[in-house]
């Protein structure tokens, strides 16, 4: 009799009635064959694997994370709410100890959605992992959380949301940004002034194979997790590193994904990208579910594996060995030094963000309080090419009195400034979100 | 006139319906031999009725279930091909289970052909093991049955009966397909023998009308045809009760059906006359199958449940039944004894019942009446909790589209139909607990037999069309045909309807009855490289459970 060694929850939401456009990679058909394979394998009958029904997230769940401009209803459709809600269901199942781990196999994905949302970037509107993390913090009081993003694309949205948060360790393994959307995710991007070293980027070369991914995991990711000591580990389980994926150039396999998951042992996994809908996703997902459940995955193999999978080339192995040496030095041996600014100093930065799906340009001017006691108050002055001008003020969860005061000052300044169409105050200490204009 | 007969766990109920009225009904205590029980019940029920007046007979028996649960089945071999995924050895069943190489993918494309020499070896092994029936199951055979058909051909005439996985259900679930094919193979000989003895028993009594067996999905199948699908006649009892509730009451609105028996209480839900189904299939003994079944749930609370006091203070009721109530000569106090003590029931020995209650009362420092009251309260509480849990589980079933999440109606029963001998006593207590009407229909004692008599033939087919592959498959009827690239949903619907009606006719459906339901209807554009390369169409149609025209009167006449 088969049985899951670890009790595993599964939230499956293929959204068979939603697509970005009829021929878009993010379309109705995407999880069709995954569903076929999961059902045919009889995975949901395995004792110890439990399927949960999705529920839609509320707008207030999104407000813990995002500044949606102009508002939540225009940025999040029903499908986004259900996809995010699926993650909340998975979180509840784990936090209430009904299962040891859970996998939210949902779409649409979310890891390119940043803190401020003017539209769709990289198929994402709402950052479903971040919505889940903030929910877990508010409802279950968990403080230290690690997110390991194994999607082929840099998880720039999640990085942006947690850039200033020293209590969330964000690690992204992805295809080098010089060769793939969104073009970011370099080792130098290592966290904001108050959160140095809690953002880690591992840009892997195209053609990285099973060996390279597992090497990076063992050499860097696992030691970093050990050092950070998170209460929860979340896997952004994008599946587009697969050798058959049509929009990336990596060389990973179902076996590899299963092995990676078995070693990482995440408490929660959330599906992100993955667009080889027929030849990869069905097998990768079956592999991940079985690995999470502690089952033997040695019989999971995509039909094209023997013909189309080539082991990692020696030059790639050499490159990755060198890269890991450098990154280990940067993050484990000589971790980044704290930001030199004095306590209470205001640090300003500017950035431009491009929304590829919706063709929107956004300009952001950010002010952050350099703070040794908390994650620091944050003010984002954002305007988009759609014409929306917004001021969003964020008070972090454990904000010190100085930062709370500064946030109050920024809000008052914004209220005096007629240029802003929208002013939002996200106060994570009180778990409130105020629309002030 | 129609005869309906339901063999239960301890007794057999039978009715004769005439012009929609119950003309006769009987209860017979079961004998060790099923055929003997059937014979006695027939004689008792049909006393004074001319056999040629009977125009239709439906039986709900425990033959298949008991054979599975007691593992009295014939040795059946299995040949399985799997491809990647879960290890097929995990689903090993029966005395001679063989995995051969071969692989079909989710679209029904053959990835790896079968190896004839491996199959020959498996055949030799099965011969050595002395099996005379064989199950043949390949992964994704419902998408392309080619490999199962190939294996059937290679097996030749060596085995008496070959159970091909794709013929039993069009649903995806490889382990369940294995279990279903195995049970059908292992039950085939036994079932065929039973059917032939039953035919003899009936013919001997001059009963020559069309004969049917009840299935767990609330439908019926022609007696002779059931030999092709023997496992589909297992666990039909709870379904017979639900169909009885439908015939006797009509079950409008959201109706919860509660059938209180001696050992268990069975629950089911009927939405405006349509009973709910289980999503994947019924579990028979240890085997999870893909056999369609009504969604019913048994809890260990019945009239004869054992009542005892644990640790000198905690009253416990069920789930064990030691025998009849003490008032009927049984060994242990039961809720039935409590009812008799409180004067709610006329039958049984009052003194023995009272003694039972005194015994329980003594342990709880209560008098007999008080103890009896508490026992009934606790029984009601237990049932109430079970009902709430049942409804909650149904409402937390996963759904896969935005439409379903948004529109997802929450099921909340607005009435309860109570069946079984204690129904009139229990109904008022449940009415109080739930604050919704609790109805006890006429003939509530033999509702299961009425249900069997009144149930229509059911059938189901699944269609999958893949215009890029240029193929359409309807596994249940063994149809696989080429289609053009411009094949549409409308054309698929026509093909599916035709297949459903022919399948229905084959298993005994009334040719005039073409009422069907669309269980699943989905259409996906298949996009490769930014272009539409085809359509993937999925349809599931069914002749859903219902009542034959004579009995379809919402309980007005019965």
């Amino acid at each position: 009799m088969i049985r899951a060694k670890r009790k595993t929850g599964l939230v499956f939401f293929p959204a068979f009635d939603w697509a970005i456009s009829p021929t878009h990679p993010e379309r109705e058909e995407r999880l069709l064959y995954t569903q076929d394979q999961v059902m045919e394998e009889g995975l949901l009958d395995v004792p110890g694997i439990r399927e949960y029904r999705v529920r839609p997230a509320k707008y207030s769940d999104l407000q813990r994370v995002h500044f949606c401009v102009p508002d939540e209803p225009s940025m999040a459709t029903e499908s986004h709410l259900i996809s995010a809600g699926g993650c909340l269901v998975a979180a509840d199942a784990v936090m209430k100890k009904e299962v040891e781990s859970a996998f939210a196999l949902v779409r649409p994905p979310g890891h390119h959605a940043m803190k401020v949302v003017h539209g769709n970037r990289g198929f994402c509107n709402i950052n479903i992992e971040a919505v889940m993390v903030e929910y877990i913090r508010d409802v279950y009081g968990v403080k230290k959380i690690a997110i390991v993003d194994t999607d082929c694309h840099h998880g720039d949205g999640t990085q942006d949301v947690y850039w200033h948060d020293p209590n969330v360790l964000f690690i992204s393994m992805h295809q080098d940004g010089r060769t793939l959307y969104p073009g970011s995710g370099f080792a130098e991007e290592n966290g904001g002034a108050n959160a140095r070293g809690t953002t880690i980027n591992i840009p892997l070369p195209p053609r990285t194979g099973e060996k390279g991914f597992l090497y990076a995991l063992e050499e860097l990711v696992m030691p970093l997790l050990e050092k950070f000591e998170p209460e929860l580990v979340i896997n952004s389980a994008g599946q587009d590193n697969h050798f058959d994926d049509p929009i990336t150039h990596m060389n990973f396999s179902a076996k590899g994904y299963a092995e990676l998951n078995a070693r990482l042992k995440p408490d929660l996994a959330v599906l992100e990208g993955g667009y080889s809908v027929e030849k990869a996703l069905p097998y990768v997902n079956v592999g991940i579910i079985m690995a999470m459940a502690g089952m033997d995955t040695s019989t999971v193999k995509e039909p094209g594996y023997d013909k189309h999978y080539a082991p990692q080339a020696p030059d790639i192995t050499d490159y990755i060995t060198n890269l890991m040496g450098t990154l280990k030095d940067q993050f484990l041996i000589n971790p980044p030094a704290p930001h030199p600014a004095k306590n209470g100093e205001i640090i300003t930065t500017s950035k431009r963000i491009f929304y590829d799906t919706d063709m929107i340009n956004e300009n952001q001017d950010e002010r952050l309080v350099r703070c040794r006691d908390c994650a620091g108050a944050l003010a984002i002055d954002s305007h988009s090419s759609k014409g929306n001008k917004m001021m969003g003020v964020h008070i972090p969860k454990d904000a010190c009195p100085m930062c709370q005061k500064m946030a109050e000052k920024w809000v008052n300044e914004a209220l005096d400034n007629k240029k802003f169409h929208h002013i939002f105050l996200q106060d994570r200490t009180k778990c409130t979100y105020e629309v002030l204009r | 006139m129609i005869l309906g007969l339901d063999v239960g766990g301890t007794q057999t109920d039978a009715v004769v319906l005439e012009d929609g009225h119950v003309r006769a009904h009987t209860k017979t205590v079961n004998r060790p031999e099923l055929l003997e029980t059937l014979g006695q019940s027939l004689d008792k029920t049909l006393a004074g009725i001319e056999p040629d007046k009977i125009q239709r007979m439906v039986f709900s028996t425990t033959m298949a279930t008991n054979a599975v649960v007691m593992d009295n089945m014939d040795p059946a071999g299995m040949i399985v091909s799997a491809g990647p995924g879960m290890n097929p050895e995990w689903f090993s069943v029966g005395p001679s289970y063989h995995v051969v190489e071969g692989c079909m993918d989710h679209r029904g494309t053959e990835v790896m052909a079968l190896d004839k020499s491996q199959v020959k070896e498996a055949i030799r092994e099965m011969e050595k093991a002395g099996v005379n029936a064989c199950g043949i199951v390949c992964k994704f055979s419902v998408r392309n049955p080619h490999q199962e058909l190939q294996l059937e051909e290679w097996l030749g005439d060596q085995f008496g009966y070959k159970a091909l996985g794709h013929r039993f259900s069009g649903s995806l679930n490889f382990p369940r397909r294995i279990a279903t094919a195995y049970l059908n193979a292992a039950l085939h000989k036994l079932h065929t023998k039973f059917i032939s003895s039953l035919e003899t028993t009936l013919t001997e009594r001059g009963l020559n009308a069309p004969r049917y067996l009840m299935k767990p999905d609330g439908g019926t199948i022609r007696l002779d045809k059931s030999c092709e699908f023997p496992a589909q006649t297992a666990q039909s009892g709870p379904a017979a009760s639900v169909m009885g509730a439908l015939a006797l009451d009509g079950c409008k609105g959201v109706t919860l059906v509660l059938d209180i028996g001696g050992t268990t209480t069975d629950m089911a839900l009927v939405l405006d006359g349509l009973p709910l189904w289980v999503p994947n299939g019924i579990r028979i003994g240890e085997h999870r199958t893909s056999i369609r079944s009504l969604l019913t749930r048994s809890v260990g609370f019945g009239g004869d449940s054992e009542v005892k006091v644990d640790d000198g203070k905690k009253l416990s009721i069920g789930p064990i039944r030691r025998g009849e109530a003490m008032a009927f000569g049984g060994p242990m106090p039961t809720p039935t004894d409590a009812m008799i003590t409180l004067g709610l029931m006329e039958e049984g020995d009052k003194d023995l019942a009272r003694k039972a209650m005194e015994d329980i009362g003594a342990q709880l420092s209560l008098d007999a009446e008080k103890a009896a009251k508490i026992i009934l309260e606790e029984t009601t509480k237990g049932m109430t909790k079970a009902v709430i849990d049942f409804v909650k589980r149904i409402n937390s079933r996963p759904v896969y589209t935005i439409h379903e999440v948004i529109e997802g109606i929450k099921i909340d029963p607005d009435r309860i139909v109570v069946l079984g001998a204690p129904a009139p006593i229990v109904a008022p207590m449940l009415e109080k607990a739930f604050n919704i009407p609790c109805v006890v229909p006429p003939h509530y004692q033999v509702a299961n037999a009425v249900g069997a008599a009144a149930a229509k033939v059911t059938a189901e087919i699944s269609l999958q069309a893949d215009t890029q592959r240029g193929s359409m498959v309807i596994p249940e009827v063994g149809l696989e045909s080429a289609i053009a690239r411009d094949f549409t949903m409308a054309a698929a619907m026509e093909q599916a309807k035709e297949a459903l009606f022919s399948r229905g006719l084959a298993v005994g459906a009334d040719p005039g009855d073409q009422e069907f339901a669309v269980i699943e209807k989905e259409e996906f554009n298949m996009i490769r490289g930014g272009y539409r390369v085809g359509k993937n169409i999925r349809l599931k149609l069914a002749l859903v459970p219902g009542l034959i025209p004579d009995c379809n009167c919402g309980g007005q006449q019965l």
Side-chain angles (χ1 to χ4, degrees), chain A residues 2 12 15-17 27 29 32-33 35-36 39-41 45 51 53 79 278 295 299 301 303, chain B residues 84-86 90 106-107 139-140 143 173-174 176-177 395 397-398 400 402-403 525 527-528 538:
Chain A
I2 47 166
F12 189 53
F16 285 150
D17 45 359
R27 62 181 183 275
E29 187 194 1
L32 180 64
Y33 312 105
Q35 187 202 34
D36 284 353
M39 296 292 176
E40 177 70 352
E41 295 294 344
D45 284 335
E51 191 184 9
R53 181 187 179 120
S79 58
E278 202 183 309
M295 296 162 74
T299 48
K301 195 162 82 168
Chain B
M86 287 216 264
W90 292 342
H106 45 78
R107 292 239 341 246
K139 199 178 269 183
F140 285 112
R143 290 288 157 77
N173 195 316
F174 179 60
R176 283 180 186 263
R177 194 174 311 124
N395 281 323
R397 279 211 312 224
Y400 300 134
I402 298 164
H403 174 77
N525 285 325
I527 312 290
R528 298 294 174 271
R538 289 146 187 227

Side-chain angles (χ1 to χ4, degrees), chain A residues 128-162:
Chain A
I128 57 180
E129 282 92 354
V131 169
M132 176 170 82
V133 165
E134 294 311 306
Y135 172 81
I136 291 172
R137 285 176 151 180
D138 279 5
V139 177
Y140 299 101
V142 175
K143 196 174 172 194
K144 288 181 88 177
I145 295 176
I147 303 174
V148 180
D149 189 324
T150 51
D151 189 281
C152 190
H153 302 89
H154 174 225
D156 57 347
T158 316
Q159 170 170 304
D160 181 70
V161 173
Y162 291 110

Side-chain angles (χ1 to χ4, degrees), chain B residues 35 188-198 227:
Chain B
L35 276 168
H188 181 259
K189 198 172 156 195
L190 215 63
H191 185 85
T192 310
K193 205 173 133 214
F194 168 70
I195 294 302
S196 114
S197 314
L198 178 57
C227 294

Side-chain angles (χ1 to χ4, degrees), chain B residues 88-111:
Chain B
E89 294 294 347
W90 292 342
F91 314 119
S92 173
V93 62
S96 193
Y97 179 89
H98 306 277
V99 176
V100 296
E101 280 176 6
C103 172
M104 198 71 77
D105 77 4
H106 45 78
R107 292 239 341 246
T109 307
E110 189 172 52
V111 176

Side-chain angles (χ1 to χ4, degrees), chain A residues 47-88:
Chain A
I49 294 183
R50 178 168 164 193
E51 191 184 9
Y52 286 85
R53 181 187 179 120
V54 288
R55 66 163 192 261
K58 299 189 197 100
Y59 291 133
S60 57
D61 293 317
L62 313 186
Q63 289 170 341
R64 292 192 187 99
V65 175
H66 292 297
F67 293 117
C68 286
V69 189
D71 53 22
E72 289 74 25
S74 36
M75 288 298 113
T77 63
E78 280 147 352
S79 58
H80 297 109
L81 292 174
I82 296 168
S83 175
C87 298
L88 305 187

Side-chain angles (χ1 to χ4, degrees), chain B residues 355-510:
Chain B
K355 211 183 138 285
M357 290 304 105
E358 276 166 1
D359 175 36
I360 296 290
Q363 297 177 66
L364 297 167
S365 327
L366 298 168
D367 63 26
E369 272 83 11
K370 204 74 196 254
K373 254 192 172 149
I374 285 179
I375 288 168
L376 290 193
E377 272 168 25
E378 285 300 312
T379 308
T380 315
K381 244 192 237 167
M383 282 185 191
T384 311
K385 199 172 153 279
V387 166
I388 290 168
D389 190 46
F390 176 62
V391 174
K392 195 176 144 197
R393 272 176 192 235
I394 290 171
N395 281 323
S396 58
R397 279 211 312 224
V399 293
Y400 300 134
T401 59
I402 298 164
H403 174 77
E404 287 172 289
V405 176
I406 304 298
E407 301 296 317
I409 36 162
K410 212 166 165 233
I411 293 169
D412 193 10
D414 47 35
R415 54 202 295 281
I416 301 177
V417 170
V418 194
L419 309 171
I425 301 158
V426 177
M429 298 193 281
L430 288 171
E431 191 161 270
K432 223 167 120 190
F434 284 99
N435 204 19
I436 53 174
C438 277
V439 182
V440 180
H443 309 295
Y444 60 88
Q445 316 94 318
V446 287
N448 45 350
V450 173
K456 278 203 306 205
V457 167
T458 52
E460 185 181 311
I461 61 101
S462 323
L463 176 150
Q464 142 114 356
D466 182 330
T467 65
Q468 191 194 18
R469 266 190 74 218
S471 87
M472 178 190 78
V473 185
I474 305 180
E476 295 94 334
V477 295
L479 181 78
E480 201 198 355
S481 64
I483 50 168
R485 292 186 71 88
D486 59 355
F487 189 76
T488 61
M489 177 58 93
M493 188 59 94
E494 283 313 306
Q495 297 268 4
K497 270 158 68 175
E498 201 185 310
L500 178 70
F501 297 144
S502 78
R503 167 90 160 192
L505 276 182
V507 294
D510 180 349

